[in-house]
Amino acid sequence: CQDISFPIYFESGSTALTPAATQVLREETARAKMCTIKEALVLGLADADGPANRNLALSRQRATSVAAALAAQGVPAPTFDLEAAGESGAVTPGGAPEPLRRRAEVVIRMGPAA
């Protein structure tokens, strides 16, 4: 039972899970349930398109959206450590918003099977 890490991508300006994101969450939580889940960490990110305060709020909402979906899949809610990074570091060297930043990063730390 090893820790797992995976990204959940969002459409620009959205906090709604896409069908692909929902599928990834189902697959990864099914794999995690074979072990003891110690904790789940969710980091919400945003690109640099728009005002910084809006992007920080968007990243928080993305983290919350993913945490709620994980809880719905049976990951114990008390294990969530929600963080938001906003747009920090979200601009490419050319100054354009980085679309790969439209995501939440999930890390599930696991222990041996119960």
Side-chain angles (χ1 to χ4, degrees):
C1 291
Q2 296 182 350
D3 297 349
I4 57 175
S5 171
F6 56 94
I8 297 296
Y9 291 98
F10 293 86
E11 296 295 326
S12 180
S14 177
T15 62
L17 295 174
T18 64
T22 301
Q23 181 63 32
V24 168
L25 284 166
R26 278 191 200 119
E27 291 171 2
E28 296 296 342
T29 55
R31 188 166 64 139
K33 287 181 194 176
M34 293 187 281
C35 303
T36 300
I37 298 172
K38 292 186 197 177
E39 68 179 338
L41 307 169
V42 181
L43 172 65
L45 301 166
D47 62 22
D49 188 23
N53 62 340
R54 183 179 75 71
N55 288 330
L56 183 59
L58 181 63
S59 65
R60 279 189 188 116
Q61 291 167 351
R62 286 177 174 163
T64 300
S65 177
V66 170
L70 287 168
Q73 292 295 319
V75 175
T79 64
F80 293 117
D81 178 15
L82 298 180
E83 297 182 38
E87 66 182 31
S88 178
V91 178
T92 64
E98 178 59 66
L100 292 179
R101 290 284 301 216
R102 298 175 190 146
R103 72 183 192 276
E105 285 293 327
V106 179
V107 175
I108 299 177
R109 299 203 198 294
M110 300 201 265

XYZ file of all heavy atoms in Angstrom:
818
model
N 0.839 -1.175 0.000
C 0.000 0.000 0.000
C 0.889 1.244 0.000
O 1.394 1.640 1.036
C -0.905 0.006 1.217
S -2.172 -1.273 1.146
N 1.050 1.806 -1.169
C 1.885 2.989 -1.311
C 1.014 4.225 -1.505
O -0.099 4.139 -2.022
C 2.825 2.832 -2.491
C 3.809 1.700 -2.319
C 4.772 1.597 -3.487
O 4.596 2.256 -4.504
N 5.777 0.773 -3.352
N 1.558 5.380 -1.112
C 0.854 6.640 -1.317
C 0.575 6.829 -2.804
O 1.351 6.371 -3.656
C 1.703 7.814 -0.822
C 1.963 7.755 0.674
O 1.330 6.946 1.369
O 2.810 8.534 1.146
N -0.533 7.490 -3.097
C -0.847 7.792 -4.491
C -1.027 9.295 -4.644
O -1.407 9.997 -3.697
C -2.095 7.035 -5.002
C -3.320 7.324 -4.139
C -1.842 5.557 -5.089
C -4.598 6.687 -4.667
N -0.729 9.781 -5.822
C -0.835 11.201 -6.139
C -1.388 11.317 -7.549
O -0.975 10.570 -8.448
C 0.564 11.818 -6.052
O 0.557 13.120 -6.544
N -2.323 12.255 -7.742
C -2.900 12.431 -9.074
C -3.510 13.824 -9.204
O -3.939 14.419 -8.222
C -3.952 11.357 -9.365
C -5.059 11.269 -8.357
C -6.250 11.957 -8.541
C -4.921 10.490 -7.212
C -7.271 11.878 -7.603
C -5.940 10.407 -6.272
C -7.118 11.099 -6.469
N -3.538 14.356 -10.442
C -4.151 15.658 -10.681
C -5.611 15.504 -11.107
O -6.006 14.489 -11.684
C -3.326 16.221 -11.830
C -2.952 15.011 -12.620
C -2.770 13.900 -11.599
N -6.403 16.520 -10.794
C -7.777 16.630 -11.273
C -7.855 17.967 -12.010
O -7.664 19.023 -11.406
C -8.792 16.602 -10.108
C -8.733 15.262 -9.363
C -10.205 16.898 -10.610
C -9.142 14.063 -10.206
N -8.113 17.911 -13.320
C -8.120 19.125 -14.135
C -9.523 19.720 -14.249
O -10.517 19.000 -14.217
C -7.569 18.823 -15.527
C -6.095 18.510 -15.485
C -5.643 17.208 -15.474
C -5.161 19.535 -15.412
C -4.291 16.913 -15.403
C -3.806 19.258 -15.335
C -3.379 17.949 -15.338
O -2.047 17.663 -15.259
N -9.565 21.043 -14.395
C -10.805 21.802 -14.507
C -10.795 22.641 -15.779
O -9.722 22.988 -16.293
C -10.956 22.752 -13.310
C -11.165 22.055 -12.007
C -10.088 21.625 -11.242
C -12.445 21.832 -11.523
C -10.275 20.985 -10.032
C -12.639 21.185 -10.304
C -11.555 20.765 -9.568
N -11.975 22.993 -16.231
C -12.105 23.954 -17.319
C -11.751 25.345 -16.776
O -11.834 25.593 -15.575
C -13.541 23.960 -17.865
C -13.970 22.649 -18.500
C -13.190 22.307 -19.754
O -12.806 23.234 -20.501
O -12.946 21.109 -19.991
N -11.402 26.253 -17.648
C -11.043 27.607 -17.263
C -12.169 28.254 -16.460
O -13.331 28.239 -16.865
C -10.751 28.448 -18.508
O -10.394 29.750 -18.143
N -11.823 28.790 -15.293
C -12.779 29.488 -14.455
C -13.811 28.615 -13.763
O -14.728 29.113 -13.140
N -13.670 27.296 -13.842
C -14.683 26.383 -13.319
C -14.204 25.636 -12.082
O -13.022 25.376 -11.907
C -15.055 25.370 -14.405
O -15.992 24.428 -13.901
N -15.178 25.270 -11.246
C -14.917 24.397 -10.099
C -15.668 23.076 -10.240
O -15.599 22.230 -9.356
C -15.337 25.077 -8.779
O -16.739 25.317 -8.805
C -14.587 26.371 -8.557
N -16.375 22.925 -11.356
C -17.168 21.710 -11.592
C -16.267 20.588 -12.092
O -15.403 20.802 -12.946
C -18.264 21.989 -12.611
N -16.485 19.400 -11.554
C -15.724 18.238 -12.010
C -16.210 17.807 -13.388
O -17.417 17.693 -13.614
C -15.881 17.077 -11.028
C -15.291 17.310 -9.636
C -15.656 16.149 -8.733
C -13.796 17.478 -9.710
N -15.273 17.559 -14.271
C -15.611 17.054 -15.595
C -15.882 15.556 -15.486
O -15.496 14.920 -14.493
C -14.451 17.279 -16.586
O -13.324 16.495 -16.144
C -14.062 18.759 -16.684
N -16.512 14.955 -16.499
C -16.695 13.500 -16.464
C -15.357 12.754 -16.344
O -15.269 11.766 -15.623
C -17.394 13.208 -17.785
C -18.150 14.470 -18.098
C -17.234 15.578 -17.623
N -14.327 13.241 -17.015
C -13.007 12.594 -16.926
C -12.454 12.691 -15.509
O -11.882 11.725 -14.987
C -12.038 13.227 -17.924
N -12.629 13.837 -14.863
C -12.152 14.010 -13.493
C -12.897 13.081 -12.539
O -12.292 12.470 -11.653
C -12.323 15.461 -13.061
N -14.190 12.956 -12.734
C -14.996 12.069 -11.903
C -14.525 10.626 -12.050
O -14.434 9.888 -11.058
C -16.486 12.194 -12.267
O -16.882 13.564 -12.065
C -17.351 11.294 -11.416
N -14.197 10.227 -13.259
C -13.710 8.867 -13.506
C -12.368 8.633 -12.804
O -12.161 7.596 -12.179
C -13.585 8.607 -15.010
C -13.118 7.213 -15.348
C -14.091 6.131 -14.887
O -15.299 6.350 -14.850
N -13.577 4.979 -14.549
N -11.459 9.609 -12.892
C -10.158 9.485 -12.222
C -10.364 9.348 -10.714
O -9.746 8.491 -10.069
C -9.251 10.698 -12.539
C -8.028 10.728 -11.628
C -8.826 10.678 -14.000
N -11.247 10.163 -10.152
C -11.522 10.074 -8.712
C -12.064 8.702 -8.327
O -11.654 8.131 -7.318
C -12.503 11.164 -8.294
C -11.907 12.564 -8.185
C -12.996 13.611 -8.110
C -10.998 12.655 -6.980
N -12.966 8.167 -9.117
C -13.517 6.827 -8.825
C -12.423 5.768 -8.845
O -12.351 4.919 -7.951
C -14.595 6.467 -9.853
C -15.923 7.039 -9.547
C -17.000 6.416 -10.441
N -18.144 7.296 -10.449
C -18.644 7.877 -11.512
N -18.143 7.658 -12.707
N -19.687 8.685 -11.420
N -11.599 5.792 -9.880
C -10.540 4.788 -10.021
C -9.516 4.883 -8.893
O -9.123 3.865 -8.315
C -9.852 4.948 -11.376
C -10.739 4.569 -12.542
C -10.146 4.921 -13.895
O -8.997 5.437 -13.950
O -10.845 4.708 -14.910
N -9.084 6.091 -8.591
C -8.052 6.261 -7.561
C -8.580 5.955 -6.164
O -7.871 5.363 -5.355
C -7.459 7.671 -7.622
C -6.716 7.968 -8.911
C -5.485 7.107 -9.148
O -4.957 6.481 -8.209
O -5.033 7.069 -10.303
N -9.816 6.330 -5.869
C -10.351 6.011 -4.543
C -10.616 4.519 -4.400
O -10.442 3.971 -3.310
C -11.621 6.822 -4.215
O -12.593 6.622 -5.231
C -11.307 8.299 -4.078
N -10.990 3.852 -5.483
C -11.174 2.397 -5.422
C -9.844 1.730 -5.078
O -9.786 0.803 -4.269
C -11.723 1.870 -6.739
N -8.785 2.219 -5.674
C -7.450 1.681 -5.397
C -7.055 1.987 -3.945
O -6.510 1.125 -3.245
C -6.441 2.294 -6.366
C -5.087 1.683 -6.286
C -4.232 2.065 -7.458
N -3.948 3.483 -7.507
C -2.766 3.991 -7.816
N -1.772 3.186 -8.113
N -2.575 5.282 -7.846
N -7.340 3.186 -3.470
C -6.965 3.588 -2.113
C -7.726 2.790 -1.054
O -7.191 2.503 0.013
C -7.219 5.081 -1.922
N -8.961 2.420 -1.342
C -9.786 1.707 -0.358
C -9.273 0.299 -0.060
O -9.701 -0.319 0.908
C -11.232 1.637 -0.832
C -11.958 2.952 -0.738
C -13.383 2.760 -1.197
C -14.085 4.054 -1.444
N -15.430 3.852 -1.982
N -8.335 -0.202 -0.852
C -7.758 -1.516 -0.586
C -6.762 -1.453 0.575
O -6.293 -2.473 1.045
C -7.092 -2.068 -1.842
C -8.094 -2.392 -2.934
S -7.368 -3.213 -4.352
C -6.627 -1.839 -5.206
N -6.451 -0.234 1.024
C -5.498 -0.018 2.105
C -6.153 0.841 3.186
O -7.295 1.239 3.057
C -4.261 0.700 1.565
S -3.461 -0.189 0.212
N -5.392 1.146 4.206
C -5.855 2.072 5.219
C -5.451 3.475 4.780
O -4.273 3.738 4.535
C -5.206 1.767 6.580
O -5.567 0.443 6.957
C -5.655 2.748 7.644
N -6.420 4.373 4.689
C -6.127 5.743 4.292
C -5.772 6.534 5.543
O -6.579 6.665 6.458
C -7.332 6.382 3.570
C -7.637 5.604 2.293
C -7.062 7.849 3.270
C -8.915 6.031 1.595
N -4.543 7.031 5.587
C -4.090 7.815 6.729
C -4.545 9.262 6.603
O -5.009 9.852 7.566
C -2.569 7.785 6.834
C -1.984 6.442 7.193
C -0.504 6.641 7.383
C 0.267 5.372 7.344
N 1.705 5.604 7.456
N -4.356 9.847 5.430
C -4.781 11.220 5.197
C -4.863 11.488 3.704
O -4.253 10.786 2.910
C -3.840 12.232 5.860
C -2.455 12.290 5.247
C -1.554 13.331 5.909
O -2.075 14.274 6.538
O -0.337 13.203 5.791
N -5.641 12.491 3.369
C -5.752 12.943 1.987
C -5.459 14.435 1.964
O -5.988 15.193 2.781
C -7.142 12.664 1.435
N -4.584 14.841 1.060
C -4.229 16.249 0.913
C -4.731 16.716 -0.438
O -4.531 16.039 -1.450
C -2.712 16.424 0.987
C -2.039 15.815 2.210
C -0.529 15.817 2.048
C -2.451 16.558 3.455
N -5.362 17.867 -0.476
C -5.884 18.418 -1.723
C -5.389 19.850 -1.847
O -5.640 20.676 -0.973
C -7.428 18.401 -1.755
C -7.936 18.952 -3.077
C -7.963 16.989 -1.522
N -4.670 20.139 -2.921
C -4.148 21.470 -3.189
C -4.822 22.010 -4.440
O -4.675 21.437 -5.523
C -2.632 21.432 -3.389
C -1.978 22.736 -3.854
C -2.119 23.813 -2.789
C -0.520 22.506 -4.193
N -5.584 23.081 -4.305
C -6.247 23.698 -5.449
C -5.343 24.727 -6.098
O -4.661 25.487 -5.423
N -5.329 24.743 -7.430
C -4.506 25.677 -8.190
C -5.361 26.412 -9.211
O -6.436 25.949 -9.581
C -3.381 24.929 -8.912
C -2.435 24.137 -8.012
C -1.596 23.184 -8.834
C -1.553 25.076 -7.229
N -4.862 27.540 -9.690
C -5.550 28.304 -10.731
C -4.502 28.883 -11.662
O -3.331 29.030 -11.295
C -6.380 29.422 -10.114
N -4.932 29.227 -12.874
C -4.008 29.914 -13.769
C -4.005 31.403 -13.416
O -4.636 31.819 -12.446
C -4.365 29.660 -15.233
C -5.737 30.165 -15.622
O -6.271 31.067 -14.945
O -6.286 29.661 -16.608
N -3.286 32.212 -14.171
C -3.166 33.643 -13.859
C -4.123 34.487 -14.686
O -3.917 35.682 -14.836
C -1.727 34.095 -14.081
N -5.172 33.897 -15.205
C -6.147 34.623 -16.000
C -7.160 35.290 -15.070
O -7.939 34.610 -14.408
C -6.854 33.658 -16.960
C -7.736 34.370 -17.957
O -7.506 35.564 -18.217
O -8.661 33.721 -18.485
N -7.117 36.606 -14.971
C -8.038 37.327 -14.095
C -7.350 37.841 -12.852
O -6.152 37.654 -12.647
N -8.122 38.490 -11.967
C -7.558 39.066 -10.745
C -7.030 38.003 -9.778
O -7.602 36.919 -9.656
C -8.735 39.814 -10.113
C -9.821 39.850 -11.129
C -9.544 38.766 -12.120
N -5.958 38.336 -9.076
C -5.323 37.399 -8.153
C -6.278 36.926 -7.061
O -6.290 35.738 -6.720
C -4.080 38.033 -7.532
N -7.094 37.828 -6.508
C -7.994 37.418 -5.421
C -9.060 36.450 -5.936
O -9.464 35.529 -5.235
C -8.618 38.621 -4.722
C -9.476 39.468 -5.645
O -9.345 39.414 -6.865
N -10.337 40.272 -5.061
N -9.511 36.626 -7.164
C -10.481 35.700 -7.743
C -9.839 34.331 -7.979
O -10.443 33.297 -7.717
C -11.039 36.238 -9.062
C -12.120 35.321 -9.649
C -12.702 35.835 -10.945
N -11.862 35.705 -12.114
C -11.561 34.553 -12.729
N -11.979 33.414 -12.253
N -10.820 34.541 -13.809
N -8.589 34.338 -8.420
C -7.907 33.071 -8.661
C -7.624 32.314 -7.366
O -7.692 31.083 -7.343
C -6.614 33.302 -9.453
C -6.909 33.669 -10.882
O -7.913 33.258 -11.445
N -6.043 34.454 -11.483
N -7.337 33.041 -6.294
C -7.137 32.375 -5.004
C -8.445 31.735 -4.541
O -8.464 30.584 -4.102
C -6.615 33.362 -3.960
C -6.305 32.751 -2.597
C -5.265 31.639 -2.710
C -5.834 33.835 -1.645
N -9.543 32.469 -4.670
C -10.855 31.912 -4.297
C -11.197 30.717 -5.173
O -11.711 29.704 -4.679
C -11.935 32.981 -4.412
N -10.897 30.801 -6.460
C -11.159 29.700 -7.385
C -10.361 28.461 -6.990
O -10.881 27.346 -6.981
C -10.821 30.125 -8.813
C -11.062 29.117 -9.919
C -12.537 28.755 -10.031
C -10.556 29.683 -11.247
N -9.105 28.647 -6.627
C -8.286 27.494 -6.233
C -8.827 26.852 -4.956
O -8.830 25.632 -4.825
C -6.812 27.883 -6.096
O -6.606 28.794 -5.050
N -9.313 27.657 -4.020
C -9.927 27.105 -2.799
C -11.186 26.310 -3.138
O -11.429 25.241 -2.587
C -10.298 28.237 -1.836
C -9.163 28.744 -1.035
C -9.649 29.707 0.048
N -8.519 30.331 0.686
C -8.238 31.617 0.658
N -9.033 32.467 0.046
N -7.179 32.081 1.259
N -12.002 26.861 -4.019
C -13.241 26.187 -4.407
C -12.939 24.878 -5.131
O -13.656 23.889 -4.959
C -14.089 27.103 -5.282
C -14.644 28.289 -4.517
C -15.210 29.366 -5.432
O -15.051 29.324 -6.649
N -15.863 30.346 -4.839
N -11.892 24.857 -5.933
C -11.504 23.605 -6.604
C -11.084 22.558 -5.584
O -11.465 21.386 -5.690
C -10.382 23.874 -7.607
C -10.878 24.575 -8.846
C -9.778 24.916 -9.796
N -10.352 25.463 -11.028
C -9.684 26.141 -11.922
N -8.382 26.383 -11.750
N -10.274 26.595 -13.006
N -10.293 22.959 -4.596
C -9.876 22.018 -3.555
C -11.093 21.488 -2.799
O -11.200 20.278 -2.536
C -8.906 22.695 -2.589
N -12.027 22.362 -2.483
C -13.234 21.956 -1.773
C -14.084 21.015 -2.620
O -14.623 20.024 -2.118
C -14.046 23.204 -1.358
O -13.223 24.002 -0.508
C -15.312 22.825 -0.626
N -14.184 21.295 -3.907
C -14.955 20.453 -4.823
C -14.371 19.040 -4.891
O -15.098 18.042 -4.829
C -14.962 21.097 -6.214
O -15.619 20.310 -7.148
N -13.059 18.957 -4.989
C -12.404 17.646 -5.048
C -12.546 16.924 -3.711
O -12.823 15.720 -3.668
C -10.921 17.794 -5.462
C -10.168 16.483 -5.284
C -10.831 18.269 -6.910
N -12.387 17.635 -2.606
C -12.532 17.015 -1.287
C -13.930 16.454 -1.106
O -14.102 15.340 -0.588
C -12.223 18.029 -0.184
N -14.944 17.187 -1.544
C -16.320 16.702 -1.437
C -16.520 15.450 -2.284
O -17.189 14.503 -1.861
C -17.299 17.790 -1.864
N -15.932 15.427 -3.477
C -16.054 14.247 -4.340
C -15.335 13.049 -3.730
O -15.836 11.920 -3.794
C -15.501 14.553 -5.731
N -14.180 13.271 -3.118
C -13.469 12.180 -2.453
C -14.296 11.645 -1.287
O -14.399 10.427 -1.095
C -12.103 12.650 -1.963
C -11.040 12.866 -3.038
C -9.842 13.595 -2.460
C -10.614 11.543 -3.658
N -14.887 12.539 -0.505
C -15.726 12.117 0.616
C -16.914 11.308 0.107
O -17.295 10.302 0.716
C -16.195 13.322 1.411
N -17.498 11.719 -1.010
C -18.628 10.988 -1.591
C -18.218 9.592 -2.053
O -19.041 8.686 -2.109
C -19.218 11.779 -2.763
N -16.930 9.421 -2.352
C -16.413 8.115 -2.772
C -15.968 7.273 -1.576
O -15.441 6.183 -1.753
C -15.240 8.290 -3.746
C -15.624 8.867 -5.079
C -16.524 7.932 -5.856
O -16.334 6.723 -5.876
N -17.534 8.492 -6.506
N -16.127 7.811 -0.367
C -15.831 7.017 0.819
C -14.525 7.319 1.507
O -14.168 6.649 2.479
N -13.797 8.331 1.065
C -12.582 8.726 1.779
C -13.035 9.519 2.996
O -13.816 10.454 2.871
C -11.654 9.585 0.877
C -10.461 10.088 1.663
C -11.202 8.774 -0.331
N -12.590 9.155 4.186
C -13.064 9.830 5.397
C -12.774 11.334 5.378
O -11.627 11.745 5.245
C -12.288 9.147 6.525
C -11.727 7.911 5.933
C -11.609 8.125 4.464
N -13.805 12.141 5.500
C -13.667 13.598 5.431
C -12.673 14.183 6.437
O -11.972 15.123 6.091
C -15.031 14.261 5.575
N -12.566 13.653 7.657
C -11.629 14.271 8.601
C -10.173 14.197 8.166
O -9.335 14.844 8.761
C -11.842 13.473 9.891
C -13.193 12.883 9.759
C -13.391 12.650 8.295
N -9.859 13.425 7.139
C -8.472 13.318 6.720
C -8.059 14.412 5.746
O -6.918 14.470 5.350
C -8.195 11.947 6.054
O -8.956 11.847 4.858
C -8.509 10.810 6.993
N -8.977 15.301 5.356
C -8.641 16.305 4.365
C -7.862 17.466 4.956
O -8.202 18.003 6.000
C -9.896 16.849 3.670
C -10.583 15.827 2.830
C -11.861 15.412 3.127
C -9.938 15.260 1.751
C -12.497 14.458 2.360
C -10.560 14.306 0.985
C -11.843 13.902 1.289
N -6.817 17.865 4.263
C -6.051 19.061 4.569
C -6.154 19.919 3.321
O -5.466 19.670 2.340
C -4.600 18.688 4.876
C -3.739 19.902 5.144
O -4.294 20.990 5.371
O -2.499 19.773 5.111
N -7.058 20.887 3.319
C -7.290 21.705 2.133
C -6.350 22.893 2.115
O -6.196 23.585 3.116
C -8.734 22.205 2.091
C -9.808 21.141 2.002
C -11.177 21.787 1.973
C -9.616 20.276 0.783
N -5.742 23.119 0.964
C -4.886 24.269 0.761
C -5.222 24.871 -0.588
O -5.762 24.203 -1.459
C -3.413 23.859 0.767
C -2.944 23.292 2.082
C -1.471 22.947 2.055
O -0.701 23.698 1.436
O -1.112 21.928 2.646
N -4.878 26.119 -0.763
C -5.097 26.780 -2.042
C -3.859 27.602 -2.378
O -3.337 28.315 -1.530
C -6.322 27.680 -1.977
N -3.390 27.500 -3.611
C -2.205 28.227 -4.029
C -2.523 29.383 -4.962
O -1.647 30.142 -5.322
C -1.213 27.271 -4.709
N -3.773 29.519 -5.356
C -4.133 30.608 -6.260
C -3.331 30.548 -7.539
O -3.054 29.483 -8.076
N -2.913 31.713 -8.011
C -2.200 31.787 -9.285
C -0.689 31.829 -9.118
O 0.040 31.980 -10.081
C -2.667 33.017 -10.060
C -2.285 34.309 -9.400
C -2.792 35.518 -10.147
O -3.852 35.456 -10.781
O -2.113 36.542 -10.092
N -0.203 31.697 -7.901
C 1.231 31.763 -7.648
C 1.980 30.798 -8.558
O 1.729 29.605 -8.561
C 1.493 31.415 -6.182
O 2.862 31.421 -5.916
N 2.877 31.325 -9.382
C 3.648 30.508 -10.304
C 2.892 30.060 -11.528
O 3.329 29.151 -12.224
N 1.781 30.707 -11.833
C 0.903 30.224 -12.901
C 1.096 30.919 -14.240
O 0.239 30.852 -15.100
C -0.555 30.372 -12.468
N 2.207 31.593 -14.437
C 2.442 32.269 -15.704
C 3.627 31.609 -16.402
O 4.643 31.318 -15.786
C 2.715 33.779 -15.475
C 3.006 34.490 -16.777
C 1.540 34.428 -14.777
N 3.477 31.361 -17.704
C 4.557 30.756 -18.481
C 5.668 31.783 -18.661
O 5.463 32.982 -18.449
C 4.049 30.308 -19.868
O 3.643 31.468 -20.595
C 2.901 29.327 -19.751
N 6.874 31.338 -19.085
C 7.961 32.291 -19.298
C 7.589 33.427 -20.269
O 8.095 34.527 -20.161
C 9.087 31.421 -19.867
C 8.820 30.071 -19.287
C 7.312 29.970 -19.238
N 6.671 33.173 -21.189
C 6.246 34.202 -22.132
C 5.186 35.137 -21.574
O 4.759 36.075 -22.230
N 4.724 34.899 -20.344
C 3.747 35.762 -19.710
C 2.304 35.318 -19.880
O 1.396 35.962 -19.379
N 2.064 34.207 -20.564
C 0.694 33.724 -20.771
C 0.255 32.865 -19.586
O 1.089 32.223 -18.948
C 0.617 32.897 -22.051
N -1.056 32.844 -19.289
C -1.547 31.955 -18.226
C -1.234 30.493 -18.548
O -1.281 30.088 -19.701
C -3.059 32.188 -18.216
C -3.243 33.519 -18.854
C -2.130 33.644 -19.862
N -0.902 29.726 -17.551
C -0.536 28.311 -17.711
C -1.774 27.447 -17.532
O -2.256 27.266 -16.417
C 0.532 27.940 -16.687
C 0.965 26.502 -16.709
C 1.537 26.057 -18.030
O 2.606 26.546 -18.414
O 0.883 25.221 -18.689
N -2.335 26.871 -18.635
C -3.564 26.093 -18.514
C -3.428 24.837 -17.663
O -4.406 24.386 -17.084
C -3.932 25.751 -19.952
C -2.711 25.980 -20.750
C -1.869 26.964 -20.008
N -2.246 24.278 -17.532
C -2.087 23.084 -16.705
C -2.236 23.400 -15.227
O -2.306 22.512 -14.398
C -0.744 22.411 -16.974
C -0.604 21.784 -18.358
C 0.781 21.167 -18.527
C -1.685 20.748 -18.603
N -2.300 24.670 -14.879
C -2.522 25.069 -13.491
C -3.998 25.009 -13.111
O -4.345 25.223 -11.974
C -2.009 26.494 -13.274
C -0.517 26.628 -13.317
C 0.070 26.122 -12.055
N -0.480 26.891 -10.962
C 0.163 27.248 -9.887
N 1.397 26.893 -9.720
N -0.421 27.948 -8.940
N -4.868 24.737 -14.039
C -6.307 24.655 -13.758
C -6.616 23.281 -13.192
O -7.268 22.453 -13.823
C -7.104 24.901 -15.039
C -6.889 26.260 -15.623
C -7.608 26.419 -16.951
N -7.177 27.654 -17.593
C -7.055 27.814 -18.887
N -7.369 26.837 -19.713
N -6.655 28.960 -19.380
N -6.127 23.044 -11.965
C -6.254 21.697 -11.413
C -6.217 21.712 -9.895
O -5.938 22.719 -9.277
C -5.138 20.802 -11.942
C -3.771 21.121 -11.369
C -2.684 20.246 -11.981
N -1.445 20.350 -11.265
C -0.533 21.282 -11.440
N -0.718 22.248 -12.305
N 0.587 21.274 -10.730
N -6.478 20.545 -9.353
C -6.247 20.266 -7.942
C -5.317 19.060 -7.895
O -5.453 18.134 -8.691
C -7.552 19.962 -7.219
N -4.356 19.107 -7.022
C -3.440 17.987 -6.816
C -3.908 17.220 -5.584
O -4.151 17.817 -4.541
C -2.014 18.482 -6.600
C -1.329 18.969 -7.847
C -1.050 17.870 -8.850
O -0.785 16.712 -8.458
O -1.123 18.179 -10.051
N -4.009 15.917 -5.722
C -4.465 15.062 -4.635
C -3.340 14.107 -4.246
O -2.735 13.479 -5.121
C -5.706 14.238 -5.058
C -6.160 13.328 -3.929
C -6.834 15.163 -5.513
N -3.077 14.018 -2.960
C -2.133 13.034 -2.428
C -2.887 12.260 -1.355
O -3.454 12.858 -0.434
C -0.876 13.690 -1.822
C 0.017 12.631 -1.178
C -0.126 14.489 -2.866
N -2.907 10.944 -1.492
C -3.530 10.091 -0.484
C -2.416 9.259 0.146
O -1.744 8.487 -0.544
C -4.621 9.190 -1.080
C -5.734 10.055 -1.703
C -5.212 8.270 -0.006
C -6.825 9.278 -2.383
N -2.221 9.480 1.442
C -1.187 8.745 2.183
C -1.846 7.513 2.791
O -2.895 7.614 3.428
C -0.586 9.622 3.251
C 0.078 10.863 2.674
C 1.108 11.405 3.600
N 1.496 12.770 3.365
C 2.123 13.248 2.313
N 2.411 12.464 1.322
N 2.455 14.517 2.232
N -1.198 6.368 2.579
C -1.823 5.116 2.989
C -0.923 4.306 3.905
O 0.286 4.478 3.928
C -2.164 4.316 1.747
C -3.126 5.070 0.856
S -3.987 4.029 -0.257
C -2.958 4.175 -1.692
N -1.580 3.417 4.635
C -0.909 2.454 5.478
C -1.312 1.057 5.031
O -2.054 0.897 4.059
N -0.846 0.037 5.726
C -1.171 -1.339 5.369
C -2.683 -1.585 5.385
O -3.422 -0.916 6.103
C -0.479 -2.177 6.445
C 0.486 -1.267 7.115
C -0.005 0.134 6.906
N -3.093 -2.567 4.637
C -4.517 -2.941 4.603
C -4.964 -3.327 6.001
O -4.201 -3.915 6.780
C -4.734 -4.096 3.631
N -6.194 -2.973 6.309
C -6.731 -3.267 7.656
C -7.000 -4.735 7.848
O -7.220 -5.495 6.986
C -8.001 -2.481 7.871
